[in-house]
Amino acid sequence: MSEAASARSRQVSLGAVPLGPLEPMLRAWLPRQRWFAGKGRAITRLRLVSAVELLPPEASPGLLHLLVGVDADGSSDCYQLLLGVRPNLPPALAPALIGYAEQGPYAGQAVYEGLGDPRLAALLLERLRSPGSLGPLRFDRDPAALIPASPTPRPLSGEQTNSSLIYGDSYILKVFRRVGPGVNPDLELPRALAAAGCTRVPAPVAWYEAALPGAEPLTLGVLQPYLRGSDDGWQLALRRLGAGADFTAEAHALGRATAEVHSALAGALPTTALDPEQTARLAAGMTARLAATAREVPGLRPYEAGLRGAFDALAASRGAGVAAQRIHGDLHLGQTLRTADGSWALIDFEGEPARPLADRRRPEPAVRDIAGILRSFDYAARSHRPFAPAWADDCRAAFCEGYARTTGRDPREDPVLLRAYETDKAVYEARYESRHRPDWLHVPMAAIRRLSEPQRPATHRVPPTPAVPPAPGSLSPHPSHPHPHQHPHPKPPRRPLP
Ligand SMILES: Nc1ncnc2c1ncn2[C@@H]1O[C@H](COP(=O)(O)OP(=O)(O)O)[C@@H](O)[C@H]1O
Ligand SMILES: O=P(O)(O)O[C@H]1O[C@H](CO)[C@@H](O[C@H]2O[C@H](CO)[C@@H](O)[C@H](O)[C@H]2O)[C@H](O)[C@H]1O
């Protein structure tokens, strides 16, 4: 019998104090993690939401699954931790050490980041291979998927919002870090796309969640095929730029791929048409984000009034029947993969991680994603020396033409909407860069200066583009430019964690 199958799982008590002896070490360790959202805010309280021993400490290593509530200066978040427990840590795992427990059930043992331990990573995969419940944890899988036993795991390196493990270069498991009640769109949307026959997005093959009393299940992790040999769209674009090479063919194909995903999402999940009130609310949300960012990023203040014009124009457009649907929500070149066979795939449908889940699951105009990619072309062109504006303009035109080729509508035909979303994205980026990468702040600031200037009316019309059906097998049958169904997506209730 495998280690996983023979393992006892039990809900554990860590002592009378909420997190017992683990609390001080977690307080010190959490703020140092890339995925910890509360950086710079003092942690006021740690709360134990759930604890399950996936392997008891006697198994050495033991594996402890924790959901920990973190209160920090008025905010409250819940994080998923997978902690290894061993009496002695082998040298290879030394960087994963969190601390030594002084008392409680793990007294004298090393407590460490469990995802870095191949034995524990293998155990997690075993759990995903065999559906079932362990305390509040529920493991589920696509019965048709053949998930091999024991492929060698390795953690994905690099700075990510979540933590991912790659198994034998055939599967990748994303372990969500900041979790909340309700299905995560990074499980919900790829599953919906797979069911609709869209192959542009790797289809989830297994996932796990927590069912806690009085709350919707929380999505904790998703396993999906690893697209071996694929190129990250951002790195590819930079390489091309560096070599003075054209990227328009790729941009065009990416426009088509994005349009296919949008069309499949519109066919699979509820859509709506924005009315004037919803449009005004959308514009008000963008205006509020601008105001909040201007408070935080002083360099933005001189441009605030000019930028507001884009959002006022959106409100004044009264929606004009713009379709809203489920979208990617945080699309940029780093969320695209050019696969070994030369086609484009989209990944990471979580949306902007800082936004509440209910907001991320609400239908929005698809142009939000388009604006994200167009901003990426500008980022790439500005990170090149000398700045390559013509490269970005050409990619922009090619992407929009590719998009129009599939949907029959060029995003540039909706200039008010496109400008509002590009402005909103540039404002978001200014905040992101000022918080995380101040050296990059000049990139969105250049866009902000341009977008804050009064816009001249368009001098030439974008020629209408006939829609061409997508490649066979890449998408389910549906209208190429979906007519919005009139059943608005209900806003899921946001319930606090118990
Ligand atoms: N299915 C996949 N195949 C190949 N690489 C992938 C796949 N999914 C993710 N990746 C790689 O992992 C990185 C992180 O994935 P992502 O979903 O963006 O995680 P996060 O939410 O942590 O940012 C991506 O930038 C990409 O390089
Ligand atoms: O971590 P995520 O992928 O969810 O996205 C965040 O980080 C991105 C940077 O890694 C940031 O993207 C910005 O920089 C990119 C170049 O590094 C550029 O291609 C994007 O267009 C630009 O927005 C993203 O905004 C942020 O949410």
Side-chain angles (χ1 to χ4, degrees):
M1 198 186 289
S2 72
E3 184 176 51
S6 65
R8 267 180 313 127
S9 135
R10 56 183 188 197
Q11 282 189 263
V12 287
S13 157
L14 297 170
V17 211
L19 268 160
L22 299 187
E23 171 150 4
M25 64 175 89
L26 291 180
R27 262 182 192 266
W29 179 77
L30 279 167
R32 298 202 302 269
Q33 306 313 303
R34 154 71 160 97
W35 41 261
F36 183 70
K39 289 199 187 67
R41 280 175 274 158
I43 295 181
T44 46
R45 191 162 72 115
L46 293 186
R47 290 171 292 112
L48 182 63
V49 175
S50 144
V52 177
E53 269 177 1
L54 290 171
L55 266 183
E58 307 86 84
S60 191
L63 179 58
L64 180 61
H65 182 281
L66 294 186
L67 294 177
V68 176
V70 180
D71 298 343
D73 280 353
S75 70
S76 187
D77 290 310
C78 182
Y79 290 92
Q80 174 178 203
L81 311 183
L82 281 140
L83 305 183
V85 182
R86 292 178 185 244
N88 299 301
L89 214 51
L93 287 175
L97 180 70
I98 300 176
Y100 283 89
E102 286 173 9
Q103 308 153 27
Y106 310 119
Q109 308 228 36
V111 177
Y112 62 101
E113 160 62 274
L115 294 179
D117 184 337
R119 283 179 67 190
L120 299 180
L123 173 91
L124 206 50
L125 186 71
E126 271 312 298
R127 288 287 178 226
L128 287 161
R129 278 164 46 83
S130 17
S133 295
L134 300 170
L137 305 183
R138 288 192 200 143
F139 294 81
D140 210 346
R141 60 172 288 182
D142 170 0
L146 293 170
I147 310 169
S150 324
T152 310
R154 66 179 161 97
L156 181 78
S157 56
E159 297 278 280
Q160 263 80 48
T161 308
N162 299 290
S163 299
S164 294
L165 290 167
I166 298 167
Y167 291 95
D169 272 3
S170 35
Y171 288 95
I172 179 165
L173 170 65
K174 186 192 283 197
V175 173
F176 295 107
R177 290 304 194 163
R178 196 151 61 107
V179 295
V183 63
N184 190 305
D186 205 14
L187 173 62
E188 180 190 22
L189 299 187
R191 283 191 79 195
L193 286 165
C198 176
T199 56
R200 293 287 187 184
V201 174
V205 292
W207 49 93
Y208 69 109
E209 58 188 16
L212 301 172
E216 278 186 83
L218 297 78
T219 310
L220 298 178
V222 180
L223 184 75
Q224 55 169 250
Y226 182 69
L227 304 177
R228 194 181 350 196
S230 54
D231 258 324
D232 169 313
W234 168 250
Q235 296 298 339
L236 184 65
L238 289 189
R239 278 209 305 280
R240 288 292 168 78
L241 249 170
D246 180 65
F247 195 64
T248 53
E250 284 83 359
H252 189 275
L254 182 58
R256 293 202 67 177
T258 306
E260 286 176 25
V261 170
H262 281 162
S263 300
L265 286 173
L269 294 165
T271 62
T272 186
L274 291 188
D275 63 24
E277 200 186 312
Q278 288 164 322
T279 309
R281 256 205 314 272
L282 192 64
M286 293 175 174
T287 307
R289 170 138 90 167
L290 168 63
T293 308
R295 284 194 293 276
E296 191 177 322
V297 184
L300 196 75
R301 288 178 204 152
Y303 308 102
E304 191 179 352
L307 295 174
R308 217 181 293 128
F311 307 143
D312 293 345
L314 173 62
S317 75
R318 300 175 58 78
V322 170
Q325 61 162 94
R326 297 301 300 278
I327 58 168
H328 181 284
D330 190 22
L331 196 58
H332 55 82
L333 281 173
Q335 313 278 35
T336 67
L337 294 175
R338 214 202 32 178
T339 60
D341 70 3
S343 58
W344 284 104
L346 307 190
I347 55 165
D348 196 3
F349 281 71
E350 215 185 345
E352 278 174 22
R355 291 178 103 195
L357 187 61
D359 279 8
R360 292 190 258 138
R361 294 184 64 203
R362 200 173 294 138
E364 271 206 65
V367 75
R368 182 188 174 106
D369 286 347
I370 295 166
I373 292 286
L374 300 183
R375 289 287 314 119
S376 259
F377 294 138
D378 183 54
Y379 255 76
R382 283 186 187 276
S383 47
H384 182 262
R385 294 282 172 277
F387 169 43
W391 184 94
D393 287 349
D394 292 349
C395 287
R396 182 185 178 91
F399 179 87
C400 291
E401 279 157 22
Y403 194 92
R405 197 90 175 132
T406 296
T407 62
R409 190 166 178 88
D410 191 310
R412 293 169 295 175
E413 286 174 47
D414 299 309
V416 169
L417 196 62
L418 186 57
R419 180 172 167 231
Y421 271 103
E422 281 191 84
T423 305
D424 183 53
K425 185 74 182 181
V427 168
Y428 165 83
E429 288 166 344
R431 176 144 75 173
Y432 177 86
E433 303 300 2
S434 88
R435 283 185 183 177
H436 302 283
R437 304 186 300 189
D439 290 357
W440 288 65
L441 183 57
H442 69 98
V443 176
M445 283 310 299
I448 276 165
R449 275 192 293 279
R450 177 173 51 81
L451 289 160
S452 68
E453 286 162 11
Q455 302 295 295
R456 283 193 302 275
T459 48
H460 85 279
R461 237 182 77 70
V462 178
T465 320
V468 169
S474 60
L475 156 91
S476 64
H478 56 75
S480 59
H481 183 54
H483 185 76
H485 315 303
Q486 298 297 323
H487 50 103
H489 189 63
K491 186 180 166 188
R494 184 163 167 79
R495 294 211 212 107
L497 283 166

